Amino acid sequence: MTRSLTAVNQSAVPAGTRRLPNRPPVVRAVLAALLGPLLLAACGSGPSAVTGGTPGATPPGATPPGALSTRLERVPVSGALAQPGTLRVRGVAPAGVSVTVQAAPDGLTVTPLAPVASGSDTLLPLAVSGQGSGPVTLSVRAGSRSQDVTVRVLSSGRYAPPTPYLAGATRSQGAQVLLRATVSADAAFRRSLLRFDAGAATFTSVTFPVSGFETITSHAVNGPDVWVAVRGVTADGSFLVRRSADGTAKRFLAGTVETLNNVTLLADGRVAFTAYGQERVLLLDPASGAVGSVATVGAPESLTLGADGTLFFTRRGASPAVVSVSLTGGAGRTYPVGTPGVSVPASLSAAPDGQLWFTETRTGTLRALDPVTGQQREIALPAGGGPGDEARPGEIAVAPDGTVWATDTAHPALLRVLPGETAAATVPLPDSPANAPSAGPRALHVAPDGQVWFETGGALGQLR
């Protein structure tokens, strides 16, 4: 704002208006020197006051002035399961949008394709060729605005066993992966596990003293030992089996004829598990063979250990909730979720930061619960190609760095939520009959080294 100083004719001042007293010239000069900068500052000119922070800094979470707002919606994948990625540029039309690859890992080539309009946004497809993983730096420009974006490309592998294998669950054991067949698989598959040796890329069968119509329904790994829960068909009922590294096996009766699930190894050496439809968590002491239990309000569905060793389960029904279990017999804490009589919380998984992740299968949502504050939040999911084509999370696995992975039961894809993000990105898998939604992905697991394992189309998939 520009101001000019003009003389004021005192005789022109309206009657009744208080006149400023005449000042000596020296006093007027001093007042002008003091008031001039203040008047200029009030008009937005001259130096401005700084009340804190760094001058010109962008508030956390805000887009810097002149920058573009971008989000990775499809994660690019190289290797056996190669798929292009997609970067969304918000509030920009395709005309005038350009992308330049600034840096990429050796062995990888990322090629930006023609921009595509998506409502008021622009989608930038990113084709990938070669083999490898790592960060790719892109420079995105639209008119006078620009933004440098780092996108991580995932590498992938696909390993097919001699016979297609439909997995119900996957666990890692060092450099090996142990797959358990679905309960509807052929009898031979239901009585053993399938071991994949990542170093040799070979599959072998892991046998247990299970026969006839007996079926392995859950499994867990504890160092060199492998535990399985078995649905029994005799009067002895269902049981657990511990298989040691040398192949010796020991059987522990569970004291129930119901199907056993959710085998979970506790820090004190006990084994926690559930029996279908029963309102209790069962606890096996391997040293004595004794099986105790802790009563629960409602039958546990999924079971997990929190980051601090607390045991949690989900329940459905009239009061759907996530519930903590006191192993000393005291009352646990209940966290109501969803809609009474409707919601079905499932796939409970714990993150290293203490957050509990779960799905709500009726609404197809992915949610996180803070067991300290009780606060819950819902993750935004990819919208798909139209109404009814939204992503629907199924199984959940959390990586050691806090990245959350989920299967998409509506598409041949996985979902990924990076730490601190509020929306999931799609990790697409090749769209083929072998990878139709009915064929997977299933049996999701993240190993301690961060590698992601899953079954799709009867084969074992890997991302890293």
Side-chain angles (χ1 to χ4, degrees), residues 423-447:
T426 295
V427 184
L429 301 175
D431 191 4
S432 67
N435 284 327
S438 61
R442 286 177 291 255
L444 180 66
H445 174 70
V446 182

Side-chain angles (χ1 to χ4, degrees), residues 57-126:
T58 303
T63 301
L68 296 169
S69 176
T70 62
R71 178 178 176 270
L72 185 66
E73 291 200 345
R74 287 169 58 99
V75 182
V77 180
S78 73
L81 301 173
Q83 288 286 281
T86 303
L87 186 69
R88 177 178 291 272
V89 186
R90 297 186 179 93
V92 172
V97 175
S98 63
V99 186
T100 303
V101 178
Q102 301 291 337
D106 293 339
L108 273 180
T109 300
V110 176
T111 305
L113 304 180
V116 179
S118 175
S120 61
D121 300 340
T122 292
L123 299 181
L124 296 174
L126 305 171

Side-chain angles (χ1 to χ4, degrees), residues 353 355 357 377 379 401-404 417-423:
D353 64 357
Q355 296 274 307
W357 290 80
R377 60 191 176 97
I379 298 299
D401 67 355
T403 299
V404 177
V417 184
L418 295 177
E421 291 194 346
T422 59

Side-chain angles (χ1 to χ4, degrees), residues 235-324:
D236 289 337
S238 299
F239 53 93
L240 301 176
V241 177
R242 180 183 62 198
R243 189 183 193 275
S244 301
D246 60 3
T248 58
K250 183 174 181 180
R251 192 170 81 158
F252 303 86
L253 291 176
T256 178
V257 297
E258 297 296 340
T259 299
L260 308 181
N261 288 301
N262 301 305
V263 174
T264 304
L265 305 172
L266 305 181
D268 62 7
R270 289 184 294 175
V271 182
F273 58 100
T274 61
Y276 178 76
Q278 295 185 1
E279 295 188 355
R280 58 176 179 155
V281 173
L282 294 98
L283 300 166
L284 166 68
D285 180 359
S288 64
V291 176
S293 64
V294 175
T296 61
V297 178
E301 295 282 338
S302 55
L303 192 69
T304 195
L305 272 179
D308 63 353
T310 302
L311 199 61
F312 295 88
F313 69 88
T314 59
R315 75 177 181 209
R316 60 190 299 180
S319 302
V322 174
V323 184
S324 67

Side-chain angles (χ1 to χ4, degrees), residues 123-335:
L123 299 181
L124 296 174
L126 305 171
V128 179
S129 60
Q131 175 68 58
S133 63
V136 174
T137 303
L138 306 171
S139 179
V140 183
R141 181 172 293 277
S144 62
R145 294 187 294 166
S146 64
Q147 180 72 41
D148 286 342
V149 181
T150 299
V151 173
R152 181 173 180 81
V153 177
L154 302 177
S155 64
S156 65
R158 185 178 187 274
Y159 309 95
T163 302
Y165 190 94
L166 305 184
T170 305
R171 299 288 184 267
S172 59
Q173 187 179 41
Q176 299 177 337
V177 180
L178 295 172
L179 293 89
R180 174 176 59 81
T182 60
V183 294
S184 59
D186 292 341
F189 291 152
R190 291 187 281 110
R191 296 195 295 261
S192 62
L193 300 179
L194 185 64
R195 174 188 284 137
F196 174 72
D197 188 315
T202 57
F203 290 90
T204 56
S205 179
V206 181
T207 60
F208 295 84
V210 179
S211 60
F213 293 102
E214 294 173 335
T215 299
I216 295 176
T217 55
S218 180
H219 75 298
V221 173
N222 183 25
D225 297 337
V226 179
W227 285 86
V228 296
V230 181
R231 172 65 187 268
V233 294
T234 67
D236 289 337
S238 299
F239 53 93
L240 301 176
V241 177
R242 180 183 62 198
R243 189 183 193 275
S244 301
D246 60 3
T248 58
K250 183 174 181 180
R251 192 170 81 158
F252 303 86
L253 291 176
T256 178
V257 297
E258 297 296 340
T259 299
L260 308 181
N261 288 301
N262 301 305
V263 174
T264 304
L265 305 172
L266 305 181
D268 62 7
R270 289 184 294 175
V271 182
F273 58 100
T274 61
Y276 178 76
Q278 295 185 1
E279 295 188 355
R280 58 176 179 155
V281 173
L282 294 98
L283 300 166
L284 166 68
D285 180 359
S288 64
V291 176
S293 64
V294 175
T296 61
V297 178
E301 295 282 338
S302 55
L303 192 69
T304 195
L305 272 179
D308 63 353
T310 302
L311 199 61
F312 295 88
F313 69 88
T314 59
R315 75 177 181 209
R316 60 190 299 180
S319 302
V322 174
V323 184
S324 67
V325 179
S326 172
L327 299 179
T328 59
R333 183 176 176 182
T334 299
Y335 307 86

Side-chain angles (χ1 to χ4, degrees), residues 337 351 353 355-358 365-370 373-380 402 404 417-424:
V337 300
D353 64 357
Q355 296 274 307
L356 297 173
W357 290 80
F358 62 97
T365 55
L366 176 62
R367 304 184 182 188
L369 163 69
D370 185 335
T373 64
Q375 292 183 334
Q376 301 175 37
R377 60 191 176 97
E378 182 176 331
I379 298 299
V404 177
V417 184
L418 295 177
E421 291 194 346
T422 59

